[in-house]
Amino acid sequence: MKKNSVLNSTNSLYHPDKSVTKHARIKEYDKLYKESITDREGFWSKEAKGLHWYQKWDKVLDDSNKPFYKWFTGGKTNVIANAIDRHLLTETKNKLALIWEGEPGDMKTFSYFALGREVSKFANVLKAMGAKKGDIITIYMPQIPEIIIAMLACAKIGAVHSVVYGGFSVEALAERIADAHSRILITADGGFRRGKPTQLKAIADEAMRRSPTIDVCIAVRRTGEECYMENDRDFWWHDLMGMPIASSKCETEQTDAEDPLFILYTSGTTGKPKGLLHTHGGYSVYASTTFKYVFDIQPADRWWCAADPGWITGHSYIVYAPLMNGATTLLYEGAPNHPYPNRWWQMIEKYGVNIFYTSPTAIRGLMRYGASWADKHDLSSLRLMGSVGEPINPEAWKWYYDVIGKGHCPIMDTWWQTETGGFMITPLPITPLKPGSATKPFFGNEVAVVDEAGKAVPAGAEGNLVIKNPWPGMARTILGDPDQFIEKYWKHYKKQGWYLTGDSAKVDKDGYFWIIGRNDDVLKVSGYRLGSAEIESALVSHPAITEAAAIGLPDSLKGNIIHATVILREGFAPSDALVEELKKHVDNELGPIARPAHIEFAEKLPKTRSGKIMRRVLKARALGQEEGDLTTLEE
Ligand code: PRX
């Protein structure tokens, strides 16, 4: 792939060369795209036919109760029928499904057969523990194979998993367990991070104390560190898996297309995280189709998505889409720069990874150490690469492209969200690329950048990013709060029936989309999604704080860093020690990813007359900029 054409003075076009396009399933975008939006249901029905259904659907799209769309109604399937069962009937049976490497360098592999066996065994354990179809089971685990086995086992019996990212802490976990009314929690004693064991079980214990719905907790022994086990509540995974209850024969539950597969909590603009619900049918079709066309997976490929299974990226593109496509997926437990910044490049060489998918923050972090760490390794197995989670700046894009991809691996900059289930705006391997642009909509999607009234903004102008149509991978609702689902996503453009993404973006004159970032009170820190309100409520749960405001400030490494302004209760005085204590408090409550970089003490917060914090004003102040229109300021 060479920089063989220049589109205009600002945007170089990078054209994929033949070594990549010769594989590509899609040879031409425009015509297929047009067809896919002209006959959306026809497009999705054709894709769905590529999956296994116990019973075919009656209707592709049921839009009788907008915005609660339903897909493939009347159909019966189970994501496991496609991710495991059907492969056991073909030569994929003995292919590697999962390669796992632990941070200390330990390794395990599972063929589809072996993965299927472990999933069946654990599914039987769950049943023996009283799990039933429709129960929500919370999973709080490090990046070990058992997290994948646990997710798949839930799906197999028709239970609904709610994975809480292993980097979250006590209150975040407790809140999610309570919201889901989970009876069963699956966890581990800990994991390894930068050479040290983490203490997941201790966090889980405190969360279970705060949120007492759990009566069965199953823990994997990973670190071997001492940990508390409560009689009749806590069980070791390996003990249960060694018992006769863990038979390797288990029928996959035949779920309805619209039966829930998982809940995944994500931060929104309120303090309470939203449990987005995804289903067996539509999600399976959407995740597998996007993966197949965008990353062009071939039978001999090794795929590595270096995300955590605890986020949507991991759900869709470490676990479900690769397995549905019969691919070999890699999972790595540790940090990219431990013990040295060549850890990832070493893994690519060692396992012969062909397609690699990561975040801009990770790329920027590794770029800081220079090219020599990557240059030590043979990265010639790479064919395609990807980026997700936040906008990638052209400098990082070019480093990734030149230093890691050696100038011949196109970068699939995929824009999507927890809510969307899979890629929404993304290149295909044949798409001419512009560094920093997620390029064009995936098939079936009409995407636009509009003003508040819904009018398309001119090319190059900023506006709200909206999706004009339903798609099979869309979240169906917010668990227990359908009104909020309407309020957050569908009310803004109710008349038009469009989905509001919460992002601002631009479209250029070639129809390429450029994501600018969130335009609500959601922060993207190192690609992680956090709500201002969540950080604020963690801060005010400290006895010294009466009010707090959290904002994001631009950062060249993390995209954004958290800046908090706090008001002290009477009797407390500002000090460096208190700042440290507050940061630690946020670590303990929410997790280290939510730790503010700066905490500033103030007497008052700028508020509107109706009492809303004007975060815009705080941001301008922190950046030393003009404070803008202050007419709504309280005083
Ligand atoms: O702001 C966008 C950003 O991540 C948000 C969704 O976050 P989350 O639900 O955690 O899912 C992340 C992984 C899919 C979006 O609203 N975002 C995601 N991908 C990109 C992006 N921003 C720019 N470019 C991307 N490729």
Side-chain angles (χ1 to χ4, degrees), residues 130-149:
K132 289 186 301 298
K133 184 175 176 208
D135 287 355
I136 305 177
I137 296 179
T138 299
I139 299 178
Y140 177 63
M141 292 173 88
Q143 302 192 54
I144 55 177
E146 288 84 351
I147 187 173
I148 296 181
I149 295 166

Side-chain angles (χ1 to χ4, degrees), residues 110-216:
F110 296 79
S111 63
Y112 274 88
F113 175 74
L115 185 64
R117 181 189 63 224
E118 296 305 303
V119 169
S120 288
K121 288 181 65 156
F122 195 64
N124 281 322
V125 166
L126 289 175
K127 282 191 191 170
M129 291 297 180
K132 289 186 301 298
K133 184 175 176 208
D135 287 355
I136 305 177
I137 296 179
T138 299
I139 299 178
Y140 177 63
M141 292 173 88
Q143 302 192 54
I144 55 177
E146 288 84 351
I147 187 173
I148 296 181
I149 295 166
M151 290 165 71
L152 298 172
C154 290
K156 188 171 175 84
I157 63 170
V160 182
H161 57 72
S162 164
V163 181
V164 179
Y165 168 57
F168 274 134
S169 202
V170 177
E171 188 53 27
L173 176 59
E175 213 174 7
R176 287 160 174 78
I177 290 173
D179 189 75
H181 304 289
S182 277
R183 231 197 89 233
I184 300 181
L185 172 68
I186 307 167
T187 185
D189 51 0
F192 290 101
R193 193 76 185 168
R194 293 183 201 289
K196 285 201 215 101
T198 57
Q199 309 288 332
L200 287 193
K201 180 64 167 55
I203 294 173
D205 287 337
E206 175 57 20
M208 287 189 276
R209 204 185 56 73
R210 289 191 197 178
S211 174
T213 57
I214 301 291
D215 53 40
V216 173

